[in-house]
Amino acid sequence: MKNWDDLRIFRAMAKARSIRAAAADLKTTHATVSRRIRALEDDLGSALFERGKEGYVLTAFGQSMMDLTQSVTAGVEAIDRLAFGQDGNLAGPVRLSVLEDLYHKVLADPLDSFMRDHPMIELAIETTSNFRDVHRREADVIVRITSDPPEQAVGRKVADSPLAAYCGRDYFRNRPAVDRWIALDYPPAITPQLNARSAFVANSLTVVADALRRGQGIGLLPCFMAEGDPDLVRLPEVELISDKEIWTLTHVDILHNPRVRLLMDHLYRAFADQRGRIEGRAD
Amino acid sequence: MKNWDDLRIFRAMAKARSIRAAAADLKTTHATVSRRIRALEDDLGSALFERGKEGYVLTAFGQSMMDLTQSVTAGVEAIDRLAFGQDGNLAGPVRLSVLEDLYHKVLADPLDSFMRDHPMIELAIETTSNFRDVHRREADVIVRITSDPPEQAVGRKVADSPLAAYCGRDYFRNRPAVDRWIALDYPPAITPQLNARSAFVANSLTVVADALRRGQGIGLLPCFMAEGDPDLVRLPEVELISDKEIWTLTHVDILHNPRVRLLMDHLYRAFADQRGRIEGRAD
DNA sequence: TTAGAACTGTCCAAAAATGAAACGATGTGG
DNA sequence: CCACATCGTTTCATTTTTGGACAGTTCTAA
């Protein structure tokens, strides 16, 4: 193979299934991707993609190629982790992936102070609704809300994240005989035994919380979302519902990077400080 | 990692331990290698080599890197084999690796006719004294003289390669009471029971054969080297000595490439035709 | 049917990588 | 001690690659 770097382009292309999308992934232009793919096909002597009207689709050969690039990619990722873990510098980048809502409710202030304490660290916060994979080095540190214990990663469980039932303050004062139920479409969908009829469903914690604050009805939220919110009242007759756990994770290869270390420790403290509220125990 | 291709340069560099030697391997210039290595180190953030007076030596980090590049290299090699095996074209390249002496004595004529029969195949013959590894795709087809059965490769044993004792014609006519012994420094060093004293040692079959032809003494040679040579006489009192085997090998991934197929078949026929001579059985 | 969006391929100027040569440092043999 | 060879780095002109713009196509929705 003339140029190993073409495998990087090939993989992006096979995943994105379009030249433009792959180019965006690779932070380059579609012209370049088009040329590199063509060059790779010339080099290998066979077509990797079928140029149909459906866009680019892997040929059988391309599919086999894709399988074989797995070990290449795994190797490169291991190298990236090694290099990052080897980096003993305090100055430099570190990337954190965290759920948007958890960032706003729990981590915004601690991370603000983290950046003040360590101005030479370039913290990149990526808030997502999905979860990133620490193994692929898409992020260095991940705060994950999960029900499964983590597989490949290292780190700690920093809190439980139980659910409780909440409603707006005004709603609580004039509570109807039959409650309006704001359902959180959240796996697994949990419904406590209440005298209520469903009013609406949302898959976003923010949307549910907002509806509750507006007095739309009652609904479940993770405690970290609602505890301490002046506009929300917890229904005393509903017990805490055990749900997921919050883990702070990284990869063993980069655990000794001082920036990762510092960030992990800071996150541990931040969660320890707020654990009562997150777990719905203290006020 | 910004550019996966730098791993290719890194590996060549780590093996060659000198910028110029790596550049020769990579068929580029030392200036480029120097720059690419520096770029890779910048990208990874750590030094890969120690620039001592001894030349370039891997740092501990570089050593770890080298280990991790194994899976990358294995993947790329598998891809190369896949692409080559996939190639159904009759026109194109195929590379054969064969021991220099075996080429001259056994394969020169058959390969000449092979190229005449298939002018669209670009046959690259690489004669070496060492052995190439078919697994690494340094060659597509290998004719190997070995005592171990092959591990990863596929192919056939095409002949035994026993040793016999020879001398020059003139020497045979006026044979001294105590023979002069031309030793072949060939693992394992074999010495038959003869009334002889050692005259000289060479590690090259060609040199031993030449010495024998000049009447320097008697010595062992593989039959393929000596049988049919008008200037050499086989000593009738010395039995054939079983030694190594001759195998024609390729990799399973590229076995179905038509050029490989054709070449393999041609080699099988060539060895079948000359098997008697090679094994010292017929005249 | 047409307007518009999304896509790929191609052209050309700009940017980046490369090879050749010059340079300085180091080691070697006479 | 000097002449000479070897090696890695740097410089500069050249080649190659890239990014942006334009053109042509297909698909969708009005």
Side-chain angles (χ1 to χ4, degrees):
Chain A
M1 173 146 348
K2 284 205 192 91
N3 185 353
W4 291 12
D5 201 44
D6 285 342
L7 293 180
R8 196 166 52 87
I9 281 79
F10 166 69
R11 279 186 68 84
M13 185 68 202
K15 281 189 197 165
R17 288 199 303 280
S18 124
I19 294 213
R20 290 187 100 90
D25 255 22
L26 297 166
K27 300 194 201 315
T28 179
T29 58
H30 60 279
T32 299
V33 174
S34 173
R35 281 181 297 237
R36 302 282 296 268
I37 291 291
R38 194 177 305 264
L40 181 58
E41 288 180 330
D42 281 0
D43 182 26
L44 297 176
S46 303
L48 292 164
F49 295 94
E50 197 76 49
R51 278 93 169 154
K53 50 183 59 177
E54 313 285 296
Y56 274 55
V57 177
L58 281 175
T59 60
F61 174 60
Q63 186 58 57
S64 310
M65 277 282 298
M66 196 60 188
D67 296 343
L68 289 178
T69 58
Q70 291 293 358
S71 74
V72 177
T73 309
V76 171
E77 283 163 358
I79 287 168
D80 280 340
R81 288 195 305 270
L82 174 70
F84 192 86
Q86 163 82 13
D87 181 1
N89 250 319
L90 203 59
V94 61
R95 291 167 310 164
L96 170 68
S97 171
V98 59
L99 198 66
E100 176 92 33
D101 296 314
L102 196 60
Y103 170 77
H104 286 301
K105 291 294 176 182
V106 179
L107 295 180
D109 285 346
L111 288 175
D112 186 61
S113 69
F114 179 80
M115 292 193 290
R116 269 178 231 287
D117 292 350
H118 309 288
M120 72 297 294
I121 295 184
E122 302 163 34
L123 179 63
I125 301 173
E126 195 186 56
T127 61
T128 60
S129 37
N130 307 348
F131 297 108
R132 294 283 152 162
D133 187 352
V134 74
H135 197 245
R136 295 223 176 135
R137 279 209 85 250
E138 293 173 2
D140 301 316
V141 177
I142 290 182
V143 176
R144 165 178 273 192
I145 304 184
T146 180
S147 38
D148 308 316
E151 351 56 51
Q152 305 249 21
V154 299
R156 286 193 208 154
K157 171 181 154 184
V158 289
D160 286 307
S161 175
L163 303 173
Y166 297 90
C167 64
R169 264 207 304 194
D170 298 345
Y171 183 95
F172 189 66
R173 278 199 284 270
N174 316 343
R175 204 163 154 202
V178 174
D179 276 311
R180 293 165 49 78
W181 178 246
I182 313 295
L184 178 58
D185 184 12
Y186 188 67
I190 296 160
T191 317
Q193 301 293 1
L194 280 172
N195 186 18
R197 63 180 183 76
S198 193
F200 91 51
V201 177
N203 71 343
S204 154
L205 294 176
T206 319
V207 171
V208 170
D210 189 62
L212 297 184
R213 273 192 216 95
R214 290 167 187 278
Q216 290 282 355
I218 67 172
L220 293 180
L221 280 177
C223 294
F224 75 79
M225 276 296 286
E227 288 296 318
D229 188 316
D231 296 326
L232 291 178
V233 179
R234 179 151 140 208
L235 299 188
E237 75 269 27
V238 179
E239 298 274 310
L240 277 183
I241 301 167
S242 287
D243 185 31
K244 308 198 170 177
E245 300 171 351
I246 304 179
W247 286 76
T248 297
L249 300 170
T250 186
H251 194 284
V252 64
D253 290 355
I254 65 174
L255 183 60
H256 292 94
N257 177 293
R259 306 192 292 281
V260 169
R261 208 64 217 232
L262 237 41
L263 179 57
M264 294 284 281
D265 289 346
H266 201 87
L267 291 173
Y268 290 159
R269 270 197 301 278
F271 279 106
D273 291 347
Q274 302 179 63
R275 188 156 187 170
R277 184 170 67 77
I278 293 171
E279 298 187 340
R281 288 190 273 99
D283 270 306
Chain B
M1 172 146 350
K2 283 206 193 91
N3 185 354
W4 292 11
D5 201 44
D6 285 342
L7 293 180
R8 196 165 53 88
I9 281 78
F10 166 69
R11 279 186 67 83
M13 186 66 204
K15 281 190 196 163
R17 288 200 302 280
S18 123
I19 295 226
R20 292 184 109 94
D25 254 23
L26 295 166
K27 300 194 200 313
T28 179
T29 58
H30 54 280
T32 299
V33 174
S34 173
R35 281 181 297 237
R36 302 278 298 265
I37 291 290
R38 192 177 307 263
L40 180 58
E41 289 181 328
D42 281 0
D43 182 28
L44 297 176
S46 303
L48 292 164
F49 294 93
E50 197 77 49
R51 278 91 170 156
K53 50 181 61 175
E54 313 285 297
Y56 273 54
V57 176
L58 281 174
T59 60
F61 173 59
Q63 186 57 57
S64 311
M65 276 282 299
M66 197 60 188
D67 296 343
L68 289 177
T69 58
Q70 291 293 358
S71 74
V72 176
T73 309
V76 171
E77 283 162 358
I79 286 169
D80 281 340
R81 288 195 305 268
L82 175 70
F84 192 87
Q86 164 82 11
D87 181 1
N89 250 318
L90 202 58
V94 61
R95 291 167 309 165
L96 171 67
S97 171
V98 59
L99 198 67
E100 176 91 32
D101 296 315
L102 196 60
Y103 169 77
H104 286 301
K105 290 294 177 182
V106 178
L107 294 180
D109 285 347
L111 288 176
D112 187 61
S113 69
F114 179 80
M115 292 193 287
R116 269 179 230 287
D117 293 350
H118 309 289
M120 74 295 295
I121 295 184
E122 303 163 33
L123 179 63
I125 301 173
E126 195 187 56
T127 60
T128 59
S129 37
N130 306 347
F131 297 109
R132 295 283 153 164
D133 186 351
V134 73
H135 197 247
R136 296 222 176 134
R137 280 209 85 250
E138 292 172 4
D140 301 315
V141 177
I142 291 182
V143 176
R144 165 179 272 192
I145 304 183
T146 179
S147 37
D148 308 317
E151 351 57 51
Q152 304 249 21
V154 299
R156 285 192 208 154
K157 171 182 155 184
V158 289
D160 285 307
S161 177
L163 303 173
Y166 297 90
C167 64
R169 264 205 305 192
D170 297 344
Y171 183 95
F172 189 66
R173 275 199 286 269
N174 316 342
R175 205 165 154 200
V178 176
D179 275 310
R180 293 167 49 80
W181 178 244
I182 314 293
L184 178 59
D185 183 12
Y186 189 67
I190 296 162
T191 316
Q193 301 293 2
L194 281 171
N195 185 21
R197 63 178 184 79
S198 194
F200 90 53
V201 177
N203 70 343
S204 155
L205 294 177
T206 318
V207 170
V208 171
D210 188 62
L212 297 184
R213 273 192 216 94
R214 290 168 187 277
Q216 289 283 356
I218 67 173
L220 293 180
L221 281 177
C223 294
F224 75 80
M225 276 296 287
E227 288 296 317
D229 188 316
D231 295 327
L232 291 178
V233 178
R234 179 153 140 205
L235 299 187
E237 75 268 27
V238 179
E239 297 275 309
L240 277 184
I241 301 167
S242 287
D243 185 30
K244 306 198 171 178
E245 300 171 351
I246 304 179
W247 286 76
T248 298
L249 300 170
T250 186
H251 194 286
V252 64
D253 291 353
I254 65 173
L255 184 61
H256 292 95
N257 176 293
R259 306 191 293 282
V260 169
R261 206 67 217 230
L262 236 42
L263 179 57
M264 293 286 281
D265 289 345
H266 202 86
L267 291 173
Y268 289 159
R269 269 197 301 278
F271 278 106
D273 290 348
Q274 302 179 63
R275 187 155 187 171
R277 184 170 66 80
I278 294 170
E279 299 187 339
R281 287 190 274 100
D283 273 304

